[in-house]
Amino acid sequence: MNTREMFKRAVAGGYAIPAFNFNTMEQMQAIVMAAVETKSPVIMQVSKGARNYANGTILRNLAKGAVEYAKELGCEHPEIVLHLDHGDTFELCKDCIDNGFSSVMIDGSSLPYEENIALAKKVVDYAHQFDVTVEAELGVLAGVEDEVAAAESHYTKPEEVIDFSTRTGCDSLAISIGTSHGAHKFTPEQCTLVNGVLVPPPLAFDILHEIEKKLPGFPIVLHGSSSVPMEEVNTINKYGGHLEAAIGIPEEQLREASKSAVCKINIDSDSRLAMTAAIRKHLAEHPGDFDPRQYLKPARENMKKMYIHKIVNVLGSDGKLAQQ
Ligand SMILES: [Zn+2]
């Protein structure tokens, strides 16, 4: 399904839909198991980097399998969106639309304003013929995500959002209010030390609220919203890893954002951390294991646990399927 009704209900209901990235079968299974157990709608998203890694045909068939799998797990009416994350050209978006994606993002945020509008409008005009929904982006996030990288962030300018959404016809808008891509969102220097924990600068809720005022009820998207749980980072480092100064977005802030017009929150790094932590721990404790199923099973379990936690305790999308 596309995101239209899903977002309408999420904005009205004061919760956000989880958008989890996936590259592997185990991630897909963990996402579906978590969504079914919590009766949550879910967006499964594929980046350009994921397509390069796993192949686009394989990923979209995995997503098709995800719907069947959800039904097999006992969910009669699953709500699953297959979404392209950070499409950077019309051609890439068109290819996904032509091949069964129900939603795409066109990210022209690094382009000059008028070019961003022209590109987004072109994708919207094509996508809407097939009832595919489109996410566009205004403002620039810092950080690195697959092939998307920017050294500096530029907050979304609230004075541009009406013009942008009207002229592009986009269905949702990704904004920049201080979230960031990757597992190293902030340097320790940018943070404040509170009770021995590095706390990053707060999200710019004033900008979010101004945008909400300009576009009442319009679906807003937050990228780069992993919280980078310390326990996973510590497990990775305890069992031979070396992650330094990994800092994410505090979950309380995401919980607060979920109650606003923010109706889609992207989480990718936390899944990577959960998977890697479980694999490192398993292999350290079972040095004789060499069957991938032996260490991918706890990895899948750990990701599922993390997805359920996000759905229930952070985004509030549990129990929100239209038909239970
Ligand atoms: Zn992103």
Side-chain angles (χ1 to χ4, degrees), residues 108-151:
S109 61
S110 60
L111 299 172
Y113 182 70
E114 288 296 329
E115 286 174 43
N116 187 0
I117 289 185
L119 178 60
K121 183 176 171 12
K122 191 175 174 190
V123 172
V124 169
D125 288 344
Y126 187 75
H128 283 181
Q129 297 176 61
F130 306 95
D131 205 25
V132 169
T133 41
V134 179
E135 173 186 328
E137 178 166 338
L138 249 188
V140 178
L141 269 71
V144 181
E145 181 186 28
D146 288 346
E147 283 143 55
V148 185

Coordinates of all heavy atoms in Angstrom, one line a residue, residues 108-151:
G108 N 16.0 16.0 -3.7 CA 16.7 17.1 -4.4 C 17.2 18.1 -3.4 O 17.4 19.3 -3.9
S109 N 17.4 17.8 -2.2 CA 17.6 18.8 -1.2 C 19.0 19.5 -1.3 O 19.2 20.5 -0.8 CB 17.6 18.2 0.2 OG 18.5 17.1 0.4
S110 N 19.9 18.8 -2.1 CA 21.2 19.4 -2.3 C 21.2 20.4 -3.5 O 22.2 21.1 -3.7 CB 22.3 18.3 -2.5 OG 22.0 17.6 -3.6
L111 N 20.1 20.4 -4.2 CA 20.0 21.2 -5.4 C 19.5 22.6 -5.0 O 18.9 22.8 -4.0 CB 19.0 20.6 -6.4 CG 19.3 19.2 -7.0 CD1 18.0 18.7 -7.8 CD2 20.5 19.3 -7.9
P112 N 19.7 23.6 -5.9 CA 19.1 24.9 -5.7 C 17.6 24.7 -5.6 O 17.0 23.8 -6.2 CB 19.5 25.7 -6.9 CG 20.7 25.0 -7.5 CD 20.6 23.6 -7.1
Y113 N 16.9 25.6 -4.9 CA 15.5 25.5 -4.6 C 14.6 25.2 -5.8 O 13.8 24.3 -5.8 CB 15.1 26.9 -3.9 CG 13.7 26.9 -3.5 CD1 13.2 26.1 -2.4 CD2 12.7 27.7 -4.1 CE1 11.9 26.1 -2.0 CE2 11.4 27.8 -3.7 CZ 11.0 27.0 -2.6 OH 9.7 27.0 -2.3
E114 N 14.8 26.0 -6.9 CA 13.9 25.9 -8.0 C 14.2 24.5 -8.7 O 13.2 23.9 -9.2 CB 14.1 27.0 -9.1 CG 13.6 28.3 -8.6 CD 12.0 28.3 -8.4 OE1 11.3 27.6 -9.2 OE2 11.5 29.1 -7.6
E115 N 15.4 24.0 -8.7 CA 15.7 22.7 -9.3 C 15.1 21.6 -8.5 O 14.7 20.6 -9.0 CB 17.2 22.6 -9.5 CG 17.8 23.4 -10.6 CD 19.3 23.3 -10.7 OE1 19.9 22.2 -10.5 OE2 20.0 24.4 -10.8
N116 N 15.2 21.7 -7.2 CA 14.6 20.8 -6.3 C 13.1 20.7 -6.6 O 12.5 19.6 -6.7 CB 14.8 21.2 -4.8 CG 14.4 20.2 -3.8 OD1 13.9 19.1 -4.1 ND2 14.5 20.5 -2.5
I117 N 12.4 21.8 -6.7 CA 11.0 21.8 -7.0 C 10.7 21.1 -8.4 O 9.8 20.3 -8.5 CB 10.4 23.3 -7.1 CG1 10.4 23.8 -5.7 CG2 9.0 23.3 -7.7 CD1 9.8 25.2 -5.5
A118 N 11.5 21.5 -9.4 CA 11.3 20.9 -10.7 C 11.4 19.4 -10.7 O 10.6 18.7 -11.3 CB 12.2 21.6 -11.7
L119 N 12.5 18.9 -10.1 CA 12.7 17.5 -10.0 C 11.6 16.7 -9.2 O 11.1 15.7 -9.7 CB 14.1 17.2 -9.4 CG 14.5 15.7 -9.2 CD1 14.6 15.0 -10.6 CD2 15.9 15.6 -8.5
A120 N 11.3 17.3 -8.1 CA 10.2 16.7 -7.3 C 8.9 16.6 -8.0 O 8.2 15.6 -8.0 CB 10.1 17.4 -5.9
K121 N 8.6 17.7 -8.7 CA 7.3 17.8 -9.4 C 7.2 16.7 -10.5 O 6.2 16.1 -10.8 CB 7.1 19.2 -10.0 CG 5.7 19.3 -10.7 CD 5.4 20.7 -11.2 CE 4.2 20.8 -12.1 NZ 3.3 19.7 -12.2
K122 N 8.4 16.6 -11.2 CA 8.4 15.6 -12.3 C 8.2 14.2 -11.8 O 7.4 13.4 -12.4 CB 9.8 15.6 -12.9 CG 10.0 14.9 -14.2 CD 11.3 15.1 -14.9 CE 11.5 14.2 -16.1 NZ 12.8 14.1 -16.6
V123 N 8.8 13.9 -10.6 CA 8.6 12.5 -10.0 C 7.1 12.4 -9.5 O 6.5 11.4 -9.7 CB 9.5 12.3 -8.8 CG1 9.2 11.0 -8.1 CG2 11.0 12.2 -9.3
V124 N 6.6 13.4 -8.9 CA 5.2 13.4 -8.4 C 4.2 13.2 -9.6 O 3.3 12.3 -9.5 CB 4.8 14.7 -7.7 CG1 3.3 14.8 -7.4 CG2 5.6 14.8 -6.4
D125 N 4.4 13.9 -10.7 CA 3.5 13.8 -11.8 C 3.5 12.3 -12.3 O 2.5 11.8 -12.7 CB 3.9 14.7 -12.9 CG 3.6 16.2 -12.6 OD1 2.8 16.4 -11.6 OD2 4.1 17.1 -13.2
Y126 N 4.7 11.7 -12.4 CA 4.8 10.3 -12.8 C 4.2 9.4 -11.8 O 3.3 8.5 -12.1 CB 6.2 10.0 -13.1 CG 6.3 8.6 -13.8 CD1 6.0 8.4 -15.1 CD2 6.7 7.5 -13.1 CE1 6.1 7.2 -15.7 CE2 6.8 6.2 -13.6 CZ 6.5 6.1 -15.0 OH 6.5 4.8 -15.6
A127 N 4.6 9.5 -10.6 CA 4.2 8.6 -9.5 C 2.7 8.6 -9.3 O 2.1 7.5 -9.1 CB 4.9 9.0 -8.2
H128 N 2.0 9.7 -9.3 CA 0.6 9.8 -9.0 C -0.3 9.1 -10.1 O -1.4 8.7 -9.8 CB 0.2 11.2 -8.8 CG 0.6 11.8 -7.4 ND1 0.3 13.0 -7.0 CD2 1.3 11.2 -6.4 CE1 0.8 13.2 -5.8 NE2 1.4 12.1 -5.4
Q129 N 0.3 8.9 -11.3 CA -0.5 8.2 -12.3 C -0.7 6.7 -11.8 O -1.6 6.0 -12.3 CB 0.3 8.1 -13.6 CG 0.5 9.4 -14.3 CD 1.4 9.2 -15.5 OE1 1.0 8.5 -16.4 NE2 2.6 9.8 -15.5
F130 N 0.2 6.2 -10.9 CA 0.2 4.9 -10.5 C -0.2 4.8 -9.0 O 0.0 3.7 -8.4 CB 1.5 4.2 -10.8 CG 2.0 4.3 -12.2 CD1 2.8 5.3 -12.6 CD2 1.5 3.4 -13.2 CE1 3.2 5.4 -13.9 CE2 1.9 3.5 -14.5 CZ 2.7 4.6 -14.9
D131 N -0.7 5.9 -8.5 CA -1.1 5.9 -7.1 C 0.1 5.6 -6.1 O -0.1 5.0 -5.1 CB -2.2 4.9 -6.8 CG -3.0 5.4 -5.6 OD1 -3.0 6.6 -5.2 OD2 -3.6 4.5 -4.9
V132 N 1.3 6.0 -6.6 CA 2.5 5.9 -5.7 C 2.7 7.2 -5.0 O 2.6 8.3 -5.7 CB 3.7 5.5 -6.6 CG1 5.0 5.6 -5.8 CG2 3.5 4.1 -7.1
T133 N 2.9 7.2 -3.7 CA 3.1 8.5 -3.0 C 4.6 8.9 -3.0 O 5.5 8.1 -3.1 CB 2.6 8.3 -1.5 OG1 3.1 7.0 -1.0 CG2 1.1 8.4 -1.5
V134 N 4.8 10.2 -2.9 CA 6.2 10.8 -3.0 C 6.5 11.6 -1.8 O 5.8 12.5 -1.4 CB 6.3 11.6 -4.3 CG1 7.7 12.2 -4.4 CG2 5.9 10.8 -5.5
E135 N 7.7 11.3 -1.3 CA 8.3 12.2 -0.2 C 9.4 13.0 -0.9 O 10.2 12.5 -1.6 CB 8.9 11.2 0.8 CG 9.7 11.9 1.9 CD 10.4 10.8 2.8 OE1 9.8 9.7 3.0 OE2 11.5 11.1 3.3
A136 N 9.4 14.3 -0.6 CA 10.4 15.2 -1.0 C 11.1 15.8 0.2 O 10.7 15.6 1.3 CB 9.8 16.3 -1.9
E137 N 12.2 16.5 -0.1 CA 13.0 17.0 1.1 C 13.4 18.5 0.9 O 13.8 18.9 -0.2 CB 14.2 16.2 1.3 CG 15.1 16.7 2.5 CD 16.2 15.7 3.0 OE1 16.0 14.5 2.8 OE2 17.1 16.1 3.6
L138 N 13.3 19.2 2.0 CA 13.7 20.6 2.0 C 14.6 20.8 3.2 O 14.2 20.4 4.3 CB 12.5 21.5 2.2 CG 12.0 22.4 1.1 CD1 10.9 23.4 1.6 CD2 13.1 23.2 0.4
G139 N 15.8 21.4 3.0 CA 16.7 21.5 4.1 C 17.7 20.3 3.9 O 17.4 19.3 3.3
V140 N 18.9 20.5 4.6 CA 19.9 19.5 4.4 C 20.3 18.9 5.8 O 20.6 19.6 6.7 CB 21.2 20.1 3.7 CG1 22.3 19.1 3.6 CG2 20.8 20.6 2.3
L141 N 20.4 17.6 5.8 CA 20.8 16.9 7.0 C 22.3 16.7 7.0 O 22.8 16.3 5.9 CB 20.2 15.5 7.2 CG 18.9 15.4 7.9 CD1 17.7 16.0 7.1 CD2 18.5 13.9 8.2
A142 N 23.0 16.8 8.1 CA 24.4 16.4 8.1 C 24.6 14.9 8.3 O 23.6 14.2 8.5 CB 25.1 17.1 9.3
G143 N 25.8 14.4 8.1 CA 26.0 13.0 8.3 C 26.2 12.2 7.0 O 26.1 12.7 5.9
V144 N 26.4 10.9 7.2 CA 26.7 10.0 6.0 C 25.6 8.9 6.0 O 25.5 8.2 7.0 CB 28.1 9.4 6.1 CG1 28.3 8.5 4.9 CG2 29.1 10.5 6.2
E145 N 24.9 8.7 4.9 CA 24.0 7.6 4.8 C 24.2 7.0 3.4 O 23.9 7.6 2.4 CB 22.6 8.0 5.0 CG 21.6 6.9 4.9 CD 20.1 7.3 4.9 OE1 19.9 8.4 4.4 OE2 19.3 6.5 5.3
D146 N 24.8 5.8 3.4 CA 25.1 5.2 2.1 C 25.8 6.2 1.2 O 26.9 6.7 1.5 CB 23.9 4.6 1.4 CG 23.4 3.3 2.2 OD1 24.2 2.8 3.0 OD2 22.3 2.9 2.0
E147 N 25.2 6.6 0.1 CA 25.9 7.5 -0.8 C 25.5 9.0 -0.5 O 25.8 9.9 -1.3 CB 25.6 7.1 -2.2 CG 26.5 6.0 -2.6 CD 25.8 5.0 -3.6 OE1 25.3 5.5 -4.6 OE2 25.7 3.8 -3.2
V148 N 24.6 9.2 0.5 CA 24.2 10.5 0.8 C 25.1 11.1 1.9 O 25.2 10.5 3.0 CB 22.7 10.5 1.4 CG1 22.2 11.9 1.5 CG2 21.8 9.7 0.4
A149 N 25.8 12.2 1.6 CA 26.7 12.7 2.6 C 26.7 14.3 2.5 O 26.6 14.8 1.5 CB 28.1 12.2 2.4
A150 N 26.6 14.9 3.7 CA 26.7 16.3 3.7 C 27.5 16.7 5.0 O 27.3 16.1 6.0 CB 25.3 17.0 3.8
A151 N 28.4 17.7 4.8 CA 29.3 18.0 6.0 C 28.5 18.9 7.0 O 28.6 18.8 8.2 CB 30.5 18.8 5.5

